[in-house]
Amino acid sequence: MNLWNETKSIPISRLMVWEAYKKVRANKGSAGIDTISMDEYDAERSKYLYKLWNRMASGSYFPPPVKEAEIEKKGGGVRKLGIPTINDRVGQMVIKDYIEPRLEKIFSPNSYGYRPKKNAHQALASVRKNCRKYDWIIDIDIKGFFDNIDHKKLMQAANKHVSEKWVCMYIRRWLNAPMLTTSGELIEKHGKGTPQGGVISPLLANLFLHYALDQWLEQTAQTIKFTRYADDVILHSGSKAQAEWLLKKIRDRLEVCGLELHPNKTKLVYCKDYRRRMKYPNVKFDFLGYTFQPRTTKSKQTGKLFLGYDCAISIASRKRIADKLEELDIENLRFKSIVGIAQYLNPLIRGWVNYYGKFRGYELARVFMLLHNRLIRWARRRYKRYKTSIRKAFKWLDRVRKQYPNLFYHWQLGCSV
């Protein structure tokens, strides 16, 4: 790489490309339409990175189509992702790293999604705090947000903060990159949409919503508290009348920006607890894999129980974990001992605990009970002495937990199941 000639018309250095590559490699991810995996890319990375740098630095780089991929949505149906090639992801990372610091300076502190030093737990903590202060919630769902981002309006926002024409040129090219569907059809863009799955897409989405919603809210409804994580938005209001007024204003505002509220998923929610006892049909909502609703809570001062309003892992999230446990087919894993099972499962368990255990983590007990039962099934298939006695298998696993309390990650935290 030290042979690369830095004398180019666009100030993209080889170091910028190298740093971008390291981030893309750390994020892993699947191959794009060229079917080149990360291992294959690594084997000839000098060739790929040199070619990418040479073309980007001369202005002659054009992104290939993105590959369509489908994942199941939380509420049913599928979400279509656009997976760029690894080479293209490196290119997008170069531009993202270049413009992100200046955009970060203008973004609202109430925006938490896909930002440096911001995360989902901070967004959840913000919503928890505001739910205790304000009686009403507006749960915003933007219908097909990523598919309906207006390119013209997005480029107006980009031009306001990015003076370099070459940067805007590449952003425009990525916005216009077609998608190759699973059926082999090439779908062209028609002035709107940015694919989920692209490296630069979340930054562009945040920029769009900064002007479409965040800044507008802070100017129009200064007393309203809100939390946004990408296109998931929760607003807090002191009265139902104010919430209804604001919801209408938001609907009109988003329509001007080419966006639409989902008619069935956008709703008002009443934060019912021991103080707030009005009858209202909607008293719960989901946000970032957690469900907020009235919950029995123990007072830290008196130890007495009372009805509070808090969040815990949602039913949908528990179901996804249960589906994953079924997919893993634990009872048929061919490890010689339970130590191998633990080493295999601990990365997953650690991820579930670290994310869903942040607030009211004991609600994960139901998930761990499912895991516990599958470990029992594995033992009964693995050891002849337990095939005819489920009671002995349960006792065996209980002995293992007591003798090796650090074997499974959740056991280390004192979870007995």
Side-chain angles (χ1 to χ4, degrees):
M1 288 177 61
N2 55 2
L3 299 177
W4 294 5
N5 179 7
E6 298 273 5
T7 309
K8 294 287 184 178
S9 58
I10 291 175
I12 294 177
S13 70
R14 60 188 182 183
L15 181 61
M16 291 164 66
V17 175
W18 176 248
E19 292 297 327
Y21 157 75
K22 289 194 291 184
K23 291 180 181 179
V24 169
R25 189 177 187 279
N27 292 336
K28 301 179 181 178
S30 58
I33 62 167
D34 61 2
T35 70
I36 297 173
S37 68
M38 185 57 75
D39 288 341
E40 292 170 320
Y41 192 92
D42 280 344
E44 297 186 88
R45 69 186 180 198
S46 292
K47 180 186 76 172
Y48 290 121
L49 294 178
Y50 172 78
K51 189 175 181 180
L52 176 67
W53 168 75
N54 193 36
R55 290 186 175 179
M56 288 196 75
S58 62
S60 61
Y61 176 73
F62 286 86
V66 296
K67 182 180 75 173
E68 183 184 63
E70 296 180 345
I71 59 170
E72 292 185 5
K73 285 185 177 180
K74 298 175 185 177
V78 295
R79 174 178 284 110
K80 293 183 178 180
L81 304 181
I83 310 299
T85 63
I86 292 172
N87 211 47
D88 194 45
R89 294 207 290 274
V90 176
Q92 290 188 35
M93 187 66 78
V94 169
I95 302 301
K96 175 180 176 288
D97 287 348
Y98 187 76
I99 64 174
E100 187 174 54
R102 70 182 83 172
L103 296 182
E104 272 296 309
K105 293 177 181 178
I106 66 155
F107 287 162
S108 168
N110 299 307
S111 166
Y112 292 88
Y114 307 105
R115 295 182 59 190
K117 299 179 182 180
K118 296 265 191 175
N119 59 48
H121 285 159
Q122 292 172 338
L124 287 160
S126 172
V127 172
R128 286 179 86 223
K129 178 182 176 182
N130 289 327
C131 280
R132 291 165 185 157
K133 294 181 179 179
Y134 300 90
D135 296 356
W136 291 89
I137 292 290
I138 310 174
D139 182 6
I140 294 291
D141 187 285
I142 302 174
K143 188 176 180 180
F145 169 65
F146 282 89
D147 294 332
N148 290 295
I149 292 178
D150 186 290
H151 289 183
K152 185 177 179 181
K153 289 182 172 62
L154 177 56
M155 290 311 302
Q156 286 177 342
N159 287 324
K160 185 174 182 178
H161 301 284
V162 181
S163 59
E164 298 90 337
K165 292 183 179 179
W166 59 271
V167 174
C168 293
M169 173 188 72
Y170 280 130
I171 292 175
R172 200 174 291 109
R173 287 179 186 177
W174 278 309
L175 289 175
N176 292 325
M179 177 182 285
L180 185 66
T181 66
T182 52
S183 62
E185 183 184 1
L186 200 63
I187 304 295
E188 299 287 342
K189 298 286 180 63
H190 297 286
K192 65 178 185 178
T194 179
Q196 294 187 68
V199 169
I200 203 168
S201 294
L203 180 62
L204 298 179
N206 272 334
L207 178 61
F208 190 90
L209 280 177
H210 171 74
Y211 285 106
L213 193 60
D214 298 356
Q215 190 182 76
W216 176 84
L217 273 172
E218 290 166 352
Q219 293 173 350
T220 306
Q222 296 178 5
T223 61
I224 294 293
K225 298 291 184 180
F226 74 94
T227 301
R228 182 173 69 79
Y229 192 96
D231 60 329
D232 290 330
V233 192
I234 302 296
L235 300 100
H236 305 264
S237 175
S239 70
K240 185 182 178 186
Q242 185 189 42
E244 289 173 337
W245 168 82
L246 184 58
L247 181 55
K248 183 182 182 303
K249 287 284 187 181
I250 291 172
R251 184 176 283 111
D252 295 341
R253 170 62 182 175
L254 292 182
E255 188 177 331
V256 170
C257 298
L259 299 174
E260 178 186 357
L261 290 181
H262 197 293
N264 300 324
K265 296 180 181 179
T266 298
K267 60 182 183 290
L268 297 187
V269 179
Y270 181 58
C271 299
K272 187 175 182 179
D273 61 13
Y274 76 99
R275 296 175 293 115
R276 302 173 287 200
R277 302 181 180 182
M278 191 183 88
K279 288 186 177 180
Y280 191 74
N282 294 330
V283 294
K284 67 178 182 178
F285 65 95
D286 285 1
F287 183 58
L288 302 180
Y290 281 75
T291 296
F292 286 77
Q293 67 180 50
R295 297 180 186 275
T296 302
T297 306
K298 181 182 284 189
S299 170
K300 292 181 179 179
Q301 285 77 29
T302 65
K304 294 182 179 180
L305 298 179
F306 66 95
L307 187 67
Y309 197 88
D310 204 357
C311 67
I313 182 173
S314 68
I315 293 175
S317 297
R318 284 208 309 264
K319 184 181 183 303
R320 280 197 300 276
I321 295 176
D323 291 343
K324 182 64 178 179
L325 289 174
E326 184 174 357
E327 177 192 323
L328 290 169
D329 196 20
I330 293 168
E331 47 266 50
N332 290 313
L333 292 176
R334 296 189 175 183
F335 290 98
K336 292 182 179 180
S337 75
I338 197 169
V339 174
I341 298 278
Q343 291 174 342
Y344 178 66
L345 295 179
N346 273 339
L348 281 173
I349 298 171
R350 185 180 293 108
W352 296 331
V353 170
N354 288 349
Y355 187 74
Y356 295 110
K358 179 69 174 178
F359 305 107
R360 299 175 81 96
Y362 53 83
E363 296 281 353
L364 281 168
R366 297 180 191 181
V367 171
F368 295 141
M369 180 58 75
L370 293 175
L371 172 59
H372 186 79
N373 291 338
R374 290 187 178 275
L375 291 174
I376 294 295
R377 289 182 212 168
W378 174 84
R380 296 184 72 195
R381 293 192 178 197
R382 179 72 181 82
Y383 304 114
K384 290 182 180 180
R385 58 187 177 275
Y386 303 134
K387 282 186 179 179
T388 57
S389 176
I390 190 170
R391 185 176 60 84
K392 287 183 179 180
F394 269 99
K395 285 187 175 181
W396 167 80
L397 189 56
D398 193 47
R399 286 197 307 271
V400 171
R401 184 185 63 81
K402 289 176 180 177
Q403 291 174 2
Y404 306 100
N406 295 324
L407 186 59
F408 285 92
Y409 184 75
H410 62 297
W411 287 0
Q412 299 172 25
L413 305 177
C415 301
S416 60
V417 294

